Amino acid sequence: MEYRNATLNDIPGISELQQKYHVLTISDEDKDDGFVTTLFSKEQFKELIEKENGVAIACDGNKIVAYVMAASWQYWSAWPLFQHMIKDLPNTEYLGRVLSVENSYQYGPICIHKDYRGTEVLPNVFEFSRKQMNKRYPILITFINKINHRSYNAHTSKLGLDVIKSFEFNNNKYYELGYDTSIKTPGSDI
């Protein structure tokens, strides 16, 4: 398995994986095993790769089997949900710090092909992304829809993220989670 930053040539493979597991297009049989809710266009993937170097991928040969997004709050500020989270940063404390756009970044979504779930791919692709972003930010912030139990369990039980608080946005209920980017990901071997 290879873990690396995505290039523009990887966008078709990333888009294909997103299409398979996005909440709007996922098959009913796959939905209970987790899904992604943030929909990226090819242009948004391109911007994320070029401006933030913010897409980490796992490749099995030539096949992209997982991706992780991570970027500054400035990048995410185009989406209403992230605008809500940015506005709330000064009201949120984690690791003894009040959060800000300078000391934290937004991680996610993460998407893993179902054939690779429950393997080393989750901790390793998370670890690869964490190491990239640790150079810029001490704190990782993310959110998980409360109905996405698999993602919640993976992030809290396997990766060790902490639940900071809950919030509501657009009639959905979310957990807000954090992670200290100076700590190696539990279970990773890269």
Side-chain angles (χ1 to χ4, degrees):
M1 197 69 60
E2 177 189 12
Y3 302 94
R4 62 178 174 82
N5 287 315
T7 67
L8 297 181
N9 292 334
D10 296 313
I11 292 174
I14 297 166
S15 296
E16 182 181 328
L17 195 58
Q18 173 185 250
Q19 177 77 13
K20 184 168 180 60
Y21 295 108
H22 191 271
V23 68
L24 299 177
T25 51
I26 192 170
S27 70
D28 288 338
E29 65 187 47
D30 286 339
K31 197 169 191 176
D32 287 343
D33 288 330
F35 51 88
V36 292
T37 56
T38 304
L39 185 63
F40 286 79
S41 67
K42 288 181 172 63
E43 292 76 26
Q44 289 166 325
F45 281 131
K46 181 178 186 288
E47 182 182 10
L48 184 58
I49 290 167
E50 288 181 335
K51 292 187 177 175
E52 298 273 345
N53 202 21
V55 184
I57 58 175
C59 300
D60 188 355
N62 292 326
K63 181 180 178 184
I64 297 172
V65 300
Y67 66 75
V68 173
M69 312 296 184
S72 67
W73 289 108
Q74 181 181 357
Y75 172 81
W76 298 111
S77 66
W79 283 272
L81 173 57
F82 298 115
Q83 292 168 7
H84 173 81
M85 292 179 75
I86 291 165
K87 186 178 176 185
D88 191 51
L89 287 174
N91 305 317
T92 308
E93 188 174 313
Y94 180 62
L95 302 176
R97 299 179 187 189
V98 174
L99 297 183
S100 70
V101 295
E102 289 82 25
N103 69 12
S104 66
Y105 71 98
Q106 158 55 36
Y107 146 87
I110 181 171
C111 183
I112 301 174
H113 190 285
K114 71 178 182 179
D115 293 348
Y116 295 83
R117 295 178 187 169
T119 70
E120 78 287 350
V121 171
L122 171 65
N124 285 341
V125 75
F126 182 89
E127 174 66 5
F128 184 88
S129 178
R130 180 204 64 83
K131 287 194 289 191
Q132 304 300 304
M133 297 305 285
N134 172 255
K135 299 169 189 171
R136 297 166 51 195
Y137 302 100
I139 298 172
L140 170 155
I141 298 296
T142 194
F143 69 97
I144 298 172
N145 191 309
K146 287 191 174 184
I147 64 169
N148 196 344
H149 304 293
R150 184 171 184 121
S151 181
Y152 176 83
N153 290 334
H155 283 89
T156 57
S157 299
K158 293 181 181 176
L159 299 179
L161 274 69
D162 299 309
V163 175
I164 299 171
K165 63 181 171 182
S166 296
F167 69 94
E168 290 187 32
F169 183 79
N170 202 22
N171 297 316
N172 289 297
K173 296 179 181 179
Y174 299 97
Y175 295 107
E176 185 168 329
L177 299 94
Y179 192 79
D180 180 341
T181 65
S182 69
I183 298 174
K184 182 177 170 68
T185 306
S188 65
D189 59 12
I190 61 167

